[in-house]
Each structure stands twice: as C-alpha cells, then as structure tokens.
Amino acid sequence: MSVTALSLADTTFVVLDLETSGAAPSTGAAITEIGALKVRGGEIIGEFQSFVNPGHALPDFIISLTGITDLMLTDAPTIQEILPTFFEFLGSHHETVLVAHNAPFDIGFLKAASLDSEIAWPDFIIVDTVRIARSALGRDEVQDCKLSTLAEFFGASIEPNHRALDDARATVDVLHGIFERLGTFGVSTLGELTTFKRKRERKALG
C-alpha cells in the first residue's frame, strides 16, 4: 500500500527541528543541533538529539538566540559523523514522513549536509506545519503561523525556545492540533492531507 493511502493515525512521522549558525548553507552556515521525535498514532515512539560541531565559531546573535555556545559544540560530532546515525533514526522514505515547521529551512540544511557528506538524500514526503496551518486555520484565529503563535493557540505542552528538541516537541503538539482541525474537514489520510493543502491554497490564490 502506498504511504499516501495510510491513515494519519497509522503514518509514522518524524518531527524534526534544527538549530544552525546562520540563515542558509549558501552563506557558510551549518547545523549546530538536531532534535527529532518519531510519532505514530499520537504517541512519541522515538527520540533523537545531538549537538553538531559546525566547524566554525558561532555569531554572537546566534549564541544570544539559542543559548548554544562554542564550548558546548567543541566535543560534538561533525555533521558528516552524525548524519548516518540520524538517517538510520529517520528510517525508510517508504515508511517515514518528515515534518518540520518552515520545512524548506530545515530540509535545505539537511540536503546540503547530505551533499557535503556524499550521502544520498532519501526522497521523503515532507509536511510543513506552516503550510498546513495556513490551510487549516482562518486569519481570524491566528495572526501568523509562527511556531510560538501556533504552540500557544493549540496549547502545546512546551513553549518554543530555539532549542532543537524542545521546538520539535512543540511542533508535535501543533501537528496533532492541526490534524484534529483537519478531521472536521474529513481529512484522515496522508494523501488527503496533501490534496487538501493544495486545494485550499489554490482557492486562496484565486
């Protein structure tokens, strides 16, 4: 059976978040922390967390934002060292769906790291909680789709704080809140989720 035919309750999601030393790999920025939670049927069934040594000093504003310091990263593995272990945690792209808040940011860094590490990037289905939140929620409900805004709206168990595992936990709560909302629209499978998102966006653009 195709993964898109699975019910959302039966789909294995890995909700991930990265902290980085800057805005984009193209600027020389690199991953400094990975946090990920494997979720199925509303339950967390696996957890991954690691600091990553970016190979350069952190800008002051990043230290201020995240609380991560150069000293905390000194003995951390490089991305080339940790990526195979992380990919093992993710599992097969035939079974696992990746979730991130503002996914192009996180996935862009992971793809760049894969290229640098000469590890093929698996063709995962990607779910972006920013995009599905925009489809599922009205503008009268939330002023924006920042993680902190959605975490507060859905009553997340933890407040986002620019640390990878905590932000991943908040994203899990946001994801489940969105799924409950989508259930009122009759969305119950991964395929219906992606189709619903596209239809809503086309309608909004029209």
Side-chain angles (χ1 to χ4, degrees), residues 184-204:
T184 67
F185 293 100
V187 174
S188 63
T189 69
L190 186 64
E192 289 169 348
L193 167 67
T194 54
T195 303
F196 176 84
K197 177 177 65 177
R198 289 197 299 270
K199 284 182 177 178
R200 295 277 291 186
E201 288 182 349
R202 280 203 299 268
K203 183 177 179 180

Side-chain angles (χ1 to χ4, degrees), residues 20-24 27 29 57-68 162:
T20 68
S21 62
T27 66
L58 299 178
D60 289 341
F61 81 94
I62 291 291
I63 296 173
S64 177
L65 178 69
T66 66
I68 298 172
H162 295 291

Side-chain angles (χ1 to χ4, degrees), residues 38 49 100 134 172 175 202:
K38 188 170 286 188
Q49 188 277 333
R134 286 174 179 161
V172 167
L175 181 71
R202 280 203 299 268

Side-chain angles (χ1 to χ4, degrees), residues 9-59:
D10 291 332
T11 301
T12 299
F13 297 95
V14 172
V15 181
L16 62 90
D17 184 82
L18 305 178
E19 297 306 322
T20 68
S21 62
S26 60
T27 66
I31 296 169
T32 58
E33 188 179 29
I34 301 172
L37 297 161
K38 188 170 286 188
V39 181
R40 186 169 59 244
E43 300 293 330
I44 294 174
I45 59 173
E47 178 181 308
F48 183 98
Q49 188 277 333
S50 180
F51 284 127
V52 182
N53 189 327
H56 55 254
L58 299 178

